[in-house]
Amino acid sequence: MTAGQVLVIGGTSDARQICQQLDAANVRYTLSVATPTGQQLAGNIRGQVRCGRLEMDDMVAWLQHHGTRWVIDASHPYADVVSRNIAAACEQAQVLLSRYQRPEQLPDLTHPLLFYVATLEEACAKARELGERILLTTGSKDLARWREGLPDKTLLARVLPVPEVVAQCAALGFGVGDIFALCGPFSAEFNAAFYRQYQVEVMITKASGAEGGYLEKVQPALDAGIPCIVIARPQSAVSGEELLNSQDAFAGRLRRWLAAQ
């Protein structure tokens, strides 16, 4: 088996744990990450690592060239475009696709100050009603859309400490007091102190699960009387037994895949 016959996609902690399971099973594989940051977060896995974004046509070509037989999409739960491109590429190349999607944390949590929305635009509409100083804990990808949707608000961007991300924030008009380049997840105590220190009036986040520190972000905000807006996850393009929502579920799928070889 060559390293290209099993492809893991994603620069997440979930992807790293999947790679560790493949290492333990002595399966050769390639991990595909989009950025050098994802490559760094992969750590000391034994698989090959390829770095760079793949459009759908490029992915089809890669799968066919390497004789890929199994793709494991462990990209971020909100990387909807990426996941749909992966699904389309696997369908075209006739390759087995499994989607690993970390479980949501407290999906039934309710509170008068907790607002669930389906889109970024809905989040902007709700945030306009709730306060002036708005903390974004949704990553750097959509900062331009947040700036466009909330032009009259003070936006505080909590992003990864990567030079190009900080430069992106500055180019979008975020000042030195609006950029917080930190690598999470963070404890509830840290978040509570952060909200107080920077006078956060509204917190916007995603249902990123325990791995993303979801509860540790939301609960201190609610305890402090700070409204929280949560953007719901996009629906997965994969369903049935190939939709995996825990490392144990992946371990079971791996055993079945190995047994069929």
Side-chain angles (χ1 to χ4, degrees), residues 213-225:
Y214 174 74
L215 179 60
E216 289 78 7
K217 283 188 283 189
V218 169
Q219 195 62 60
L222 297 177
D223 290 345

Side-chain angles (χ1 to χ4, degrees), residues 14-33:
D14 306 312
R16 185 173 66 251
Q17 291 176 51
I18 284 170
C19 291
Q20 290 168 345
Q21 288 205 48
L22 293 171
D23 288 340
N26 294 314
V27 174
R28 296 183 67 191
Y29 62 92
T30 296
L31 172 66
S32 178
V33 300

Side-chain angles (χ1 to χ4, degrees), residues 108-116 218-219 221-223 225-228:
D108 300 322
L109 179 65
T110 60
H111 189 282
L113 294 177
L114 185 60
F115 305 94
Y116 295 99
V218 169
Q219 195 62 60
L222 297 177
D223 290 345
I226 299 170
C228 296

Side-chain angles (χ1 to χ4, degrees), residues 8-12 15-16 31-34 38 72-76:
V8 181
I9 298 177
T12 61
R16 185 173 66 251
L31 172 66
S32 178
V33 300
I72 303 141
D73 175 11
S75 58
H76 194 275

Side-chain angles (χ1 to χ4, degrees), residues 171-209:
L172 290 169
F174 289 84
V176 293
D178 307 327
I179 305 169
F180 303 92
L182 303 164
C183 186
F186 308 103
S187 69
E189 292 78 12
F190 177 93
N191 283 323
F194 186 97
Y195 301 155
R196 287 195 303 272
Q197 177 67 28
Y198 296 104
Q199 302 174 350
V200 174
E201 297 178 15
V202 183
M203 195 271 287
I204 302 179
T205 190
K206 296 177 176 178
S208 53

Side-chain angles (χ1 to χ4, degrees), residues 156-169:
L156 311 176
R158 201 158 79 176
V159 296
L160 284 174
V162 179
E164 54 267 30
V165 170
V166 175
Q168 175 192 356
C169 292

Side-chain angles (χ1 to χ4, degrees), residues 45-57:
I45 60 171
R46 288 176 11 209
Q48 294 185 14
V49 181
R50 69 154 306 279
C51 184
R53 300 185 188 279
L54 285 173
E55 299 300 330
M56 197 195 81
D57 290 345

